């Protein structure tokens, strides 16, 4: 792996574990096994390196989610596959967790990959819900944008619940609850 790649990968890992504020240039250098000169030869500083790491993490997340959401099956089956896909629940979302980091939120440049990824996911889910409505799979009256927001909120909130309890059971429970509400044939109240 090249030095810039080692630096980006180290930064990705540290951002996921510690957030931006808790990730120092020294920690990045130690994790990557490079010296200060190498880091600043390839990147202007911590913000530049963090941006490269965020862009890569966001791209990987979109690729992983897209492979499930664009896969075979009905709208419900694809949403279910997305919700039930393998995740490291107790670590949380490597992108969503950064919305809690004040330095990421304050920086439009660092926040952009996070915002773009969440917007992409919501748009993709909105389209799938609309497909399900058009096919008569979901009950009439569902608002695709609201269901997409609910799916994203369930995943992100499920991470929080799991981390707070120290168990993935809370995440799994939230996912099962949402899938039960979305299941074709679920009566309206």
């Amino acid at each position: 792996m090249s030095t810039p790649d080692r630096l980006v990968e180290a930064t990705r890992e540290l951002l996921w574990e510690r957030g931006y504020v808790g990730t120092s240039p020294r920690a990045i250098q130690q994790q990557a096994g490079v010296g200060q000169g190498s880091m600043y030869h390839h990147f202007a500083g911590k913000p530049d390196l963090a941006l490269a790491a965020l862009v890569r993490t966001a791209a990987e997340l979109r690729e992983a989610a897209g492979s499930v959401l664009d896969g075979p099956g009905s709208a419900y089956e694809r949403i279910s596959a997305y919700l039930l896909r393998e995740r490291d629940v107790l670590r949380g979302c490597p992108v969503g967790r950064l919305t809690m980091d004040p330095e990421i939120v304050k920086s439009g440049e660092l926040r952009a990959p996070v915002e773009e990824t969440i917007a992409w996911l919501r748009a993709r889910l909105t389209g799938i819900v609309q497909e399900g409505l058009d096919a008569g799979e979901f009950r009439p009256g569902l608002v695709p944008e609201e269901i997409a927001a609910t799916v994203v909120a369930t995943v992100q909130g499920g991470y929080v619940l799991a981390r707070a309890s120290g168990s993935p059971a809370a995440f799994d429970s939230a996912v099962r609850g949402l899938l039960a509400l979305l299941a074709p044939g679920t009566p309206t109240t």
Side-chain angles (χ1 to χ4, degrees):
M1 189 181 300
S2 71
T3 298
D5 281 336
R6 287 198 334 257
L7 286 162
V8 169
E9 289 305 311
T11 303
R12 290 177 61 199
E13 187 65 28
L14 290 168
L15 287 174
W16 196 2
E17 286 177 18
R18 303 178 183 181
Y20 184 82
V21 173
T23 299
S24 69
R26 183 174 187 82
I28 294 168
Q29 293 160 23
Q30 288 176 337
Q31 180 100 358
V34 303
Q36 183 177 1
S38 291
M39 181 174 150
Y40 290 105
H41 172 75
H42 296 288
F43 297 95
K46 178 180 163 182
D48 187 39
L49 184 50
L51 181 60
L54 287 169
V55 166
R56 188 176 294 177
T57 298
E60 275 188 14
L61 191 138
R62 284 191 307 271
E63 183 179 331
S67 70
V68 174
L69 294 172
D70 297 334
S74 68
Y76 178 83
E77 290 168 341
R78 288 182 287 152
I79 290 170
S80 179
Y82 168 72
L83 289 168
L84 296 171
R85 76 181 176 87
E86 188 69 31
R87 293 177 165 83
D88 191 350
V89 174
L90 293 178
R91 286 191 76 193
C93 176
V95 173
R97 281 187 66 180
L98 295 174
T99 62
M100 301 303 293
D101 195 307
E103 294 300 314
I104 298 288
V105 172
K106 189 166 55 175
S107 167
E109 187 176 33
L110 293 175
R111 191 178 64 248
V114 175
E115 283 182 276
E116 290 164 7
T117 300
I118 292 171
W120 172 86
L121 181 57
R122 288 181 67 172
R124 188 66 193 102
L125 287 164
T126 296
I128 292 170
V129 173
Q130 186 62 58
E131 289 173 29
L133 283 168
D134 293 345
E137 186 179 346
F138 296 129
R139 68 177 182 270
L142 290 182
V143 178
E145 294 83 3
E146 292 175 359
I147 299 302
T150 302
V151 170
V152 173
T154 298
V155 170
Q156 295 303 318
Y159 284 131
V160 171
L161 294 173
R163 287 174 59 86
S165 69
S167 169
F171 181 94
D172 297 340
S173 179
V175 165
R176 283 192 312 272
L178 177 57
L179 288 172
L181 292 172
L182 286 177
T186 302
T188 58
T189 55

